[in-house]
Amino acid sequence: MEITIIGTGYVGLTTGACFAHIGHKVICVDNDERKIDLLNKGIIPIYEPKLDEIIEEAKRKNLISFTTDMAYGVKNSKVLFIAVGTPPKETGEPDLSYVENVASQIGEHMDSYRLIVEKSTVPVKTAQWIRTTIARFNKKNVDFDVAVNPEFLREGSAVDDFLNPDRIVIGVENKRAEEILLEIYKPIKAPILITDLTSAELIKHASNAFLAMKISFINAISIICEKTGADVEMVAKGVGLDKRIGPHFLKAGVGYGGFCFPKDLAAFIKIAEELGYDFRLLKEVANINEKQKEYFVKKMERVLWNLKDKIIGIWGLSFKPNTDDIRFAPALDIINLLKKEGAKIKAYDPKAMEKTKEIIKDITYCDNPYDVCKDADCVALITEWEEFANLDFEKIKSLMRQPIIFDGRNFLDKEKLINLGFHYYGIGKK
Ligand code: UDX
């Protein structure tokens, strides 16, 4: 199948690369010339495991190409996926002007039947707007269908998630569009759910909201655990063994981040409001998430007494491991809260330092996790990169001014650290 993907961000690029990997011929279009230049030179502008390998392989097989030419992309594929960004506005609503712009260009350039698939996460009913916009610009009166095919990719494992998904959701209005999408996904073994356009859009909203709710729920429980002497990991295990609840997304920590949960939740709350429903449950989910970072800093303050002029080491800046993405990363908020108290920050991350340097200038960036510890009054682990599990903690203890560790992800070996003489503070435990 010939497929054009419009937008080469995390979602678009992964989708394009994976479609090429399963044998389709893919054109990736983006209006960012710098990005397309890099991609043509074989440089992948984001860090995502396996993505570079499959793009290289697809290039060798001549199954993927990159261009800024929208007309070329529209004219040369029957199926067009819209995967452009929908950044949040001040109000929490997503900015849909990129989606509109792409839809109008598709309408202008298409000259025979096209299936246009909404892939970006957008408010429910956007597919209808895409259809209306394409129709308005479709002066040649070309036949077309609109479909919705939400993505459920996690950064850091996006390629694996794409190739081995829990489910594929396809929202269509007729058999013709359904058959094309079934053909495209044929090589992937997964349950396929066919729905109408609006239900498919709502599945995406509801899934992300539910996952964020699970995280905020366990984070709220972690506070009760700290106050009662229970252990949140034990509690999560006991709760998660119930098949109706399940063990996933019950890891307490410093809160969720990334470009999906915070943004999608804000958008869903806003959409509900516009529909006349005050989704207070989700407002509280977001509120608990904000408070979790403040609570973490307060805990540091309780242990260290005054934060002013304390040297605080930060391990991990990305919003989760295996990505260089720092959008809405808890580490950024925590660093800002600590700076406000007058603390001096030293930070290290295996992949996300370049991006963080662009927005936080007045902290010390270290070349490795050990330099972070030199003369530090404490170290706080914010992102659970595998690298941090196997450090030489005896060496770390000798480097630090005070052997205090705050483990924001319950990731380190607490017993081992205590035996080595560290003061260890996890989340939701004594
Ligand atoms: C998420 C959804 O999982 C994915 O289906 C959707 O398409 C996009 O949004 P992503 O943001 O890449 O994916 O990462 P995810 O692995 O879901 O983690 C999001 C955040 O939640 C991270 O900051 C992570 O640290 C945090 N998290 C996750 C927890 O704090 N506890 C958990 O148990 C799980």
Side-chain angles (χ1 to χ4, degrees), residues 46-316:
I46 51 170
Y47 173 73
E48 184 61 46
K50 300 192 184 163
L51 193 57
D52 46 356
E53 287 165 43
I54 62 167
I55 290 181
E56 205 186 294
E57 179 207 339
K59 268 187 159 177
R60 260 200 325 273
K61 293 186 179 161
N62 220 0
L63 286 177
I64 198 162
S65 61
F66 303 98
T67 178
T68 53
D69 188 345
M70 184 71 180
Y72 174 84
V74 175
K75 290 201 169 114
N76 286 284
S77 300
K78 183 160 102 177
V79 188
L80 314 171
F81 280 77
I82 302 182
V84 292
T86 54
K89 297 196 267 192
E90 287 276 295
T91 51
E93 286 166 290
D95 177 354
L96 296 176
S97 56
Y98 301 108
V99 177
E100 182 184 352
N101 183 269
V102 164
S104 63
Q105 290 190 60
I106 291 173
E108 265 172 34
H109 296 304
M110 60 187 196
D111 45 18
S112 57
Y113 171 78
R114 292 290 175 269
L115 169 61
I116 297 96
V117 189
E118 172 191 292
K119 193 78 178 160
S120 306
T121 299
V122 287
V124 57
K125 296 284 179 201
T126 299
Q128 315 284 0
W129 271 111
I130 292 177
R131 180 164 0 76
T132 306
T133 310
I134 294 175
R136 281 179 189 159
F137 286 82
N138 179 12
K139 304 263 161 59
K140 288 172 243 155
N141 226 355
V142 173
D143 194 12
F144 71 96
D145 288 317
V146 171
V148 175
N149 171 220
E151 56 84 17
F152 302 104
L153 310 175
R154 288 164 304 173
E155 287 180 28
S157 55
V159 171
D160 286 338
D161 286 352
F162 190 98
L163 299 172
N164 307 294
D166 286 349
R167 78 306 206 181
I168 295 167
V169 174
I170 289 174
V172 283
E173 290 176 305
N174 57 36
K175 273 273 163 213
R176 175 169 63 178
E178 177 183 328
E179 274 160 19
I180 294 172
L181 281 161
L182 288 178
E183 182 65 30
I184 288 178
Y185 280 108
K186 209 170 178 184
I188 294 182
K189 303 259 160 306
I192 297 191
L193 180 69
I194 311 284
T195 72
D196 56 282
L197 299 182
T198 309
S199 300
E201 289 174 323
L202 260 174
I203 286 169
K204 173 71 193 198
H205 291 306
S207 300
N208 273 358
F210 194 85
L211 292 170
M213 185 177 76
K214 272 188 115 176
I215 300 171
S216 278
F217 178 82
I218 202 66
N219 282 339
I221 295 288
S222 79
I223 292 178
I224 304 293
C225 285
E226 281 182 24
K227 293 192 187 293
T228 54
D231 184 323
V232 75
E233 285 187 285
M234 288 293 165
V235 175
K237 196 165 183 188
V239 169
L241 279 169
D242 186 324
K243 285 199 189 72
R244 292 168 302 174
I245 298 173
H248 305 293
F249 275 69
L250 284 178
K251 261 167 62 193
V254 287
Y256 59 77
F259 204 46
C260 284
F261 288 163
K263 176 179 80 107
D264 291 357
L265 221 65
F268 198 20
I269 290 167
K270 192 82 196 156
I271 292 161
E273 194 180 301
E274 276 163 17
L275 294 169
Y277 180 66
D278 183 8
F279 216 145
R280 281 165 56 192
L281 174 66
L282 295 188
K283 286 182 181 167
E284 195 48 34
V285 168
N287 185 37
I288 291 172
N289 197 54
E290 286 317 297
K291 289 278 178 312
Q292 193 69 358
K293 294 169 266 191
E294 292 167 20
Y295 189 80
F296 187 67
V297 171
K298 287 255 158 59
K299 191 191 299 180
M300 294 170 96
E301 202 169 3
R302 275 202 309 277
V303 174
L304 292 170
W305 193 9
N306 297 297
L307 291 178
K308 188 164 179 288
D309 292 330
K310 289 275 162 47
I311 299 179
I312 295 183
I314 299 285
W315 281 340

Side-chain angles (χ1 to χ4, degrees), residues 307-364:
L307 291 178
K308 188 164 179 288
D309 292 330
K310 289 275 162 47
I311 299 179
I312 295 183
I314 299 285
W315 281 340
L317 297 166
S318 56
F319 81 97
K320 62 181 219 175
N322 299 323
T323 174
D324 62 348
D325 196 344
I326 54 162
R327 292 176 296 179
F328 297 97
L332 307 189
D333 289 330
I334 289 168
I335 289 173
N336 285 331
L337 288 167
L338 290 168
K339 272 175 29 189
K340 231 190 252 165
E341 295 300 323
K344 299 202 163 61
I345 311 292
K346 292 169 83 176
Y348 167 77
D349 186 285
K351 294 280 175 206
M353 289 208 287
E354 289 314 308
K355 287 198 172 151
T356 313
K357 278 178 194 168
E358 287 170 24
I359 51 172
I360 302 185
K361 313 238 181 253
D362 52 350
I363 65 171
T364 307

